[in-house]
Each structure stands twice: as structure tokens, then as C-alpha cells.
């Protein structure tokens, strides 16, 4: 007894020492955490507070300290992230935002900022990838297409034709722009009245010819042919081309069906032929060059890379079984009687008792029958008190990746064979007596099917099918045991943000089975049935819990051209063209510009044409829309002081090596009392080369003569120009073109276009010139 007491005391002392050591360690970590918190080292404080709380989970002081330290650490990292984000250090800012979100998970704003920066970095990474070889080949194919009129994008002088011959007008325009104009043999001349202001040669030709039901064909880079516009002439003169487009992302068959639906126009003279090759995923067409260009744009718009998503799936299946067995259980619910007058049916010592009657001689019972000749067996009784409670978990945590629009399937379970029997005749015309059995396999378990779609806004739409099937008992059909299955199925559509989780639960299945056995009559008694009967009950419960978290790993890479309309002309004259011209120009709002007289006639200088005069355009040439100049807000200035806003307008943000020439326009807007202007344009000589510098007509408004001098420094990348009105007393006012520079793209890189300069009034006083920041131009 004393030995047991000593052992108990030793155990108590040992436990007390362990608890004391644990408390001391927890207190030490807590004190170190307090020291780090006072020093503002919140990450270190959080680590020490976590250690203290792990050793003493029931301490409320440790919990409060840890929570405060995590909030403070989150704020500290959030402040650092904002500073880094303002400096443009996106990757470092994202790291700080992630730490802030880890310390403060409920803060949805921080979590949203993390997703935003992740998407921004992902888009930058995808945009910075080098262009593929197929993209470069496509660009070269466009450059090696049919001949292009060299002066198609050059501005034409302001012209006005009054009831003039169309042939003379076209010949005059050709001589003015340095091109040759020929006429098809069935051409019939007609008089025309038209005014051309601030348009390019291509726009002028389209304006003239479309009004007279004519069209032109480019024979070579300096020759055009004018042809009547009808179906027969279109079919005769329009060039056809066979092209093969290699489709990278879309399905060629589906894309060919789309093109056939969109591009076929009943009035088209030459219907395109479109064929898809499913093996090589290509589309081959035969069409006119104009229609082929439209088809190419349609393919480029629809052949964007599909977005890809990664879906984190957590599946938890919980099976819970409760079983109770209690009450009186008899081994056999019957009394067995045996009549055996000669032998004991219970067996001898060492022999198993079968309690089976043995045969006997009938003479035996002639001596009489007594109770000793009968044997009876009473069933044994067992009282059971048993209760079981079992719970099993089957968990899967896969990570699935797939492209949008494609089905992602996940099967977790077993394959169960299912027989299928058909009856066939033994011979021709015989009875259906020959059974043939085949087997198919059915998945029993969890089956998930997801079809993701990424919206342009960055959300993820999931078409979700969740099915949970179980193996049931066999059913006897026509003498054959066939398996049965229990199925729970959910079919839904979810819209989630990038990184947003969704919990799907509550797919419960419960089976309740009860068995009651006992003596008849006693089974129905309220209390005795629990004691004098065998009660067996079992409850099986199954639940499915699934957590889905989709994340975007690749966006759809949409560009401005993908969402911009494709203008294809009219139903009779289909072709790839630019946006329709704007109605109204900045000069419309300037009464002074409208009342100014036309400039001196130039018809005599080029040979003369009846009824032809020139007029100063108040619009910029093609590639330098007047709308771009008009979009610059006017600068408030004194009317007596004068001044202007000088706008540099390139034809686009991307130049192509070997393309062009590219016309860069210098326009003046909101000008007043402007008599002399001196401008300096700088550019990158490694990527651009000046072809010509043309004078605009704005400084000659009102019929006043003007001098235009220009000097080009090709090595230094500089153009100096001076435009001065002679014998000027009022200066020029309004909006118009100062100069147009034609560039050739000779190298790749930034163009670095800048413009500076000064201006003066008629009295020699300096005027204010404003220079908005020119757009960025890159040569590729």
C-alpha cells in the first residue's frame, strides 16, 4: 500500500514539473512578444505570440495579444505596399499586400488588391512575350500582296469642280498627284460637280467614282484603271486570291461556318469559297482581295487564345453509421421435442450432440411408453447491450486546369459492371430465344464535370455537375440479379471572382433500418418489448462537402481591334475600309474660315481644266484626322495677343518597317493673329527617314502669300521649318494644316516625335504657342 502511495506522489510531482516548464516557456514567449511589439517589430511579435498560444491555448490574454499584433502587422505591410505601388514597384507591392492579407484575412479590400495586382502582372507578362513566328509571317504576307498606290495616303489640294468632265477631273487629279489614270473600254464620260477638301488621294477617288457608279483598280504603284461598277465588270477585273489561314486557338470547322454565315452577300459578284481542314486546323479560301482582307480580320478577331483557369477542388465525403443491438436474443425461437425410447439423442461424453431422433424397433414400445422416452430442447437466451458509432471520411484534393469552354471531368470511385441482355433469333425467321449478354461499367462514387468560361470583366462562370452514386442491393429481374444504384445529382451555374471560393454541402443521404424479433404477443408490449425481444437498429448517413476555388492563369488577351467594328462598305461594293468620315469639321464652327476666299487657281500650272479651282483645305490629311486636332481643348488667351495650339498627329501608334510612307501632320487649332511660325520637329533617325516635307495651306488662308522654308537634318533627326505670311496685317485665325511630313520606317524602336517652336503676330509681337504631348509611336 505504501509503495502505491509513493508511485502516485512521484507521478504527481512529474506532472507538476511538466506543467511548470510549459507555463514558463509560454510566459517567456509572451514576454518576448511584448518586447517586439513595443519596438514596432510586429512580424516577430506575431511569431512569439503564436508560440505562447500553442503552449497555452486556453489563455485569453495570449489570444488578444496575438490578434492585436496581427492587425498591427497587417497595417504595417499595407502601408509599405501602398508606397511601393505608388513608386511603380508592382512586384514588391504585391508581396507586401499578400503579407497584409495573411495577417488580416477578413479584410476583403486587401484581398481584392492582391487579385488586381496579380492580374496586372499576368497581363504585362503575356503582353511582353515575343511575337510568334506565324505572326511575323502574316505581316510579311500582307506586305507582299497586290501593288499599292504610292500616293494613296497623300493629301490632295483643295479642289472644286463645277460641271466638269469626269475624265478631265480624273486626269487633272492624276497629274497633280503624279499617277497615271487609264479608262476601261466601256467607260462613258459624264459631267460631275464635286468639292474635295482635306482628303487623301484614295478618299478623293472613292468620293468621285462611287458617285458615278465607277470603281478603280490599282494596276501598279503609279497607275489606276477606272471601270464601270457592275457585277460583270467586278467579276472580270477584281483580282482573286487563294489563301490558307492557320488557326491557332479556335476550331477551324466552327470558324469556317461562322465566316460562311457572315461574309456571303447575295449581291456579291464573286462569291467566296471557304473550306476547313480539320486535320491541320486550317481554313483555305478563294475570294477577291477585298473579301480576303475582311475574312482575315474576322479570323484574327475570333482566333484569340482561350483563357485558362486552375480550379482547386476539395471533396469531403462523410459516412456515419450508428448501430444499436439490445434486448433478449434467443438462439432459436422454438421448442424441439424428440421421441427416442432406445437411445439418448443428446450424445455420449466426448461426442457432439446433434439432438436428432434415432430409429428404433417397434417392439420396443410394446413394453410401454413413459416420459423417459421423450426429450426436449429449450433455446438459450442471451441479453445484448451493444451500441456502435462509426464515422469515415474520404477526402480528395485535386487541382484541375483547363481552357474555357472545354469540359473538365473528375471521377472518384469504382467501376461496377452492369449486364445488358438482348435476345436474337437462332436462325433467320426463328424465335428470339438466343440471349446475348454484354457488360458496361458504371462509375460508382463522386463524379464532377465543370465547364469554365472567363468573362471579359475577369469573372469565372462555371457550369457544374456534381453526382454522387452508391451501390445498392441487387434486384431480381426475370430470374437475374441486377445491381441497383442510388444517385444524388446537382446541376448548377456559378459566377465567381478570381480566387473566390464556393462551398457546396448538404447532399445528405440517410438510411434507417430497424429489426425486431421476439416471442409473439410480447413484441407489442410497450415495456417488455424492449427487454424480452431482440432490437436491432442501424442508421447510415452520408454527406458530400465540396469547396471550389477557381483562379485565372491566362486571360483572353483582347485588344482594341478585337472589339472595334469592321467596316466593309456596302452590299454591292464590299471591301475592308476605315471608319465612316465624320460630318462637320472644325472649320464649320469658324465663320471667318468659311468666308475666306479661295486661293489662287492652280489649273493653269498643270495644263488647265475647265471649271477647276483650288481651295485651301481646313482639314488634316488621312492618318491625321481633323477630329484629333479638334479634340485638343482650346487654351484661353487674349484675342489681341493671339496664339495657337500646334498638334502633331501621326497616322497611328505603330509603324511597320517597309510599310508606309507614313504622313505625320502638323495642325494649328484655335489660332488667332498668327502671322509667322517657326517649328522644330525631332525624331529618332535610327527608325525613321524623311521622304518629303510638304507645306500646308493654313498660313495662306485669305489669299495671302506665304513663304515656306524647311531644312532636314537626317543624321541628327531634326526638321526646321519657317512659315511666314508676307504683307500680312491681320494674321490667320481658325484651324488648318501647317505641314505634312512623309516618313519611311527603316528600323525598329521608339520614334521619339517631339515638336517645339515660336510664333509672332503681324506687328512682330510674340504670340503664345501651345504644344500638347504628342502620342507615342513605335516602329515594329
Amino acid at each position: 500500500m505504501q509503495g502505491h502511495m509513493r508511485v502516485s506522489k512521484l507521478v504527481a510531482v512529474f506532472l507538476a514539473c511538466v506543467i511548470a516548464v510549459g507555463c514558463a516557456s509560454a510566459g517567456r514567449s509572451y514576454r518576448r512578444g511584448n518586447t517586439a511589439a513595443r519596438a514596432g517589430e510586429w512580424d516577430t511579435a506575431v511569431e512569439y505570440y503564436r508560440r505562447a498560444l500553442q503552449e497555452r491555448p486556453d489563455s485569453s490574454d495570449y489570444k488578444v495579444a496575438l490578434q492585436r499584433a496581427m492587425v498591427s502587422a497587417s497595417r504595417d505591410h499595407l502601408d509599405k505596399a501602398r508606397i511601393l505601388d505608388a513608386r511603380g514597384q508592382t512586384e514588391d507591392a504585391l508581396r507586401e499586400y499578400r503579407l497584409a492579407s495573411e495577417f488580416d484575412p477578413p479584410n476583403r479590400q486587401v484581398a481584392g488588391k492582391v487579385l488586381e495586382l496579380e492580374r496586372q502582372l499576368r497581363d504585362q507578362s503575356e503582353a511582353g512575350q515575343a511575337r510568334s513566328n506565324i505572326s511575323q509571317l502574316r505581316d510579311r504576307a500582307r506586305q507582299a500582296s497586290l501593288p499599292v498606290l504610292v500616293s494613296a495616303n497623300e493629301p490632295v489640294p483643295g479642289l472644286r469642280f463645277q460641271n466638269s468632265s469626269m475624265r478631265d477631273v480624273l486626269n487633272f487629279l492624276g497629274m497633280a498627284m503624279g499617277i497615271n489614270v487609264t479608262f476601261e473600254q466601256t467607260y462613258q464620260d459624264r459631267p460631275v460637280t464635286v468639292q474635295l477638301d482635306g482628303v487623301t488621294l484614295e478618299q478623293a477617288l472613292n468620293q468621285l467614282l462611287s458617285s458615278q457608279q465607277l470603281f478603280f483598280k490599282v494596276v501598279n504603284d503609279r497607275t489606276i484603271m477606272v471601270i464601270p461598277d457592275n457585277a460583270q465588270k467586278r467579276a472580270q477585273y477584281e483580282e482573286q486570291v487563294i489563301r490558307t489561314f492557320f488557326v491557332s486557338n479556335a476550331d477551324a470547322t466552327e470558324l469556317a461556318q461562322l465566316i460562311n454565315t457572315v461574309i456571303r452577300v447575295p449581291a456579291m459578284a464573286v462569291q467566296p469559297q471557304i473550306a476547313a481542314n480539320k486535320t491541320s486546323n486550317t481554313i483555305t479560301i478563294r475570294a477577291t482581295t477585298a473579301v480576303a482582307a475582311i475574312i482575315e480580320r474576322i479570323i484574327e478577331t475570333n482566333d484569340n487564345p482561350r483563357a485558362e483557369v486552375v480550379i482547386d477542388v476539395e471533396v469531403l465525403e462523410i459516412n456515419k453509421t450508428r448501430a444499436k443491438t439490445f434486448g433478449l436474443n434467443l438462439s432459436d425461437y422454438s421448442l424441439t421435442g424428440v421421441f427416442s425410447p432406445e437411445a439418448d439423442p443428446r450424445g455420449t461424453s466426448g461426442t457432439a450432440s446433434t439432438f436428432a431422433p434415432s430409429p428404433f424397433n417397434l417392439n420396443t414400445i410394446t413394453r410401454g411408453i413413459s416420459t423417459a422416452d421423450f426429450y426436449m430442447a429449450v433455446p438459450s437466451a442471451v441479453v445484448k447491450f451493444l451500441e456502435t458509432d462509426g464515422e469515415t471520411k474520404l477526402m480528395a484534393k485535386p487541382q484541375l486546369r483547363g481552357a474555357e469552354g472545354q469540359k473538365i471531368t473528375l471521377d472518384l470511385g469504382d467501376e461496377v459492371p452492369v449486364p445488358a441482355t438482348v435476345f436474337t433469333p437462332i436462325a433467320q425467321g426463328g424465335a428470339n430465344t438466343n440471349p446475348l449478354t454484354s457488360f458496361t461499367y458504371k462509375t460508382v462514387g463522386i463524379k464532377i464535370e465543370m465547364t469554365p468560361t472567363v468573362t471579359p470583366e475577369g469573372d469565372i462562370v462555371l457550369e457544374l455537375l456534381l453526382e454522387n452514386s452508391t451501390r445498392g442491393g441487387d434486384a431480381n429481374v426475370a430470374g437475374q440479379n441486377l445491381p441497383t444504384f442510388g444517385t444524388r445529382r446537382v446541376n448548377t451555374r456559378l459566377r465567381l471572382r478570381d480566387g473566390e471560393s464556393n462551398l457546396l454541402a448538404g447532399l445528405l443521404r440517410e438510411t434507417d433500418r430497424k429489426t425486431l424479433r421476439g416471442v409473439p404477443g410480447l413484441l407489442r408490449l410497450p415495456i417488455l418489448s424492449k427487454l424480452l425481444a431482440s432490437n436491432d437498429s442501424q442508421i447510415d448517413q452520408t454527406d458530400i462537402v465540396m469547396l471550389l476555388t477557381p483562379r485565372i492563369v491566362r486571360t483572353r488577351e483582347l485588344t482594341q481591334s478585337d472589339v472595334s467594328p469592321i467596316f466593309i462598305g456596302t452590299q454591292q461594293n464590299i471591301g475592308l475600309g476605315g471608319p465612316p468620315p465624320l460630318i462637320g469639321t472644325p472649320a464649320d464652327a469658324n465663320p471667318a474660315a468659311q468666308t475666306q476666299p479661295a486661293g489662287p487657281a492652280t489649273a493653269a500650272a498643270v495644263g488647265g481644266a475647265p471649271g477647276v479651282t483650288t481651295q485651301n483645305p481646313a482639314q488634316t490629311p488621312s492618318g491625321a484626322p481633323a477630329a484629333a486636332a479638334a479634340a485638343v481643348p482650346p487654351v484661353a488667351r487674349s484675342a489681341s495677343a493671339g496664339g495657337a495650339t500646334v498638334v502633331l498627329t501621326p497616322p497611328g501608334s505603330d509603324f511597320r518597317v517597309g510599310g508606309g510612307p507614313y504622313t505625320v501632320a502638323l495642325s494649328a487649332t484655335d489660332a488667332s493673329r498668327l502671322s509667322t511660325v517657326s517649328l522644330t520637329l525631332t525624331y529618332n533617325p535610327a527608325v525613321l527617314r524623311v521622304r518629303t516635307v510638304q507645306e500646308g495651306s493654313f498660313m495662306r488662308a485669305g489669299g495671302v502669300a506665304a513663304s515656306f522654308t524647311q531644312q532636314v537634318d537626317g543624321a541628327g533627326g531634326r526638321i526646321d521649318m519657317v512659315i511666314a505670311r508676307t504683307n500680312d496685317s491681320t494674321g490667320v485665325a481658325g484651324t488648318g494644316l501647317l505641314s505634312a511630313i512623309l516618313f519611311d520606317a527603316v528600323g525598329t524602336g521608339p520614334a521619339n516625335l517631339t515638336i517645339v517652336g515660336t510664333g509672332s503676330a503681324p506687328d512682330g509681337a510674340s504670340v503664345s504657342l501651345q504644344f500638347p504631348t504628342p502620342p507615342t509611336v513605335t516602329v515594329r
Side-chain angles (χ1 to χ4, degrees), residues 557-572:
E557 303 179 13
L558 294 178
T559 61
Q560 182 63 41
S561 61
D562 294 330
V563 298
S564 299
I566 303 175
F567 296 95
I568 61 173
T570 63
Q571 188 165 347
Q572 278 190 327

Side-chain angles (χ1 to χ4, degrees), residues 44 109 670 728:
T44 306
Q109 294 181 350
D670 193 36
D728 183 23

Side-chain angles (χ1 to χ4, degrees), residues 6 27 60 147 188 255 284 361 418 477 538 557 564 591 610 632 732:
R6 291 193 191 97
S60 58
Q188 295 181 358
L255 192 51
T284 302
N361 195 326
V418 179
V477 179
Q538 182 174 344
E557 303 179 13
S564 299
V632 179
V732 69

Side-chain angles (χ1 to χ4, degrees), residues 424-445:
T424 59
I426 297 177
Q428 185 69 26
N432 297 335
T433 57
N434 186 25
L436 294 177
T437 302
S438 60
F439 291 88
T440 59
Y441 286 86
K442 177 179 176 60
T443 302
V444 177

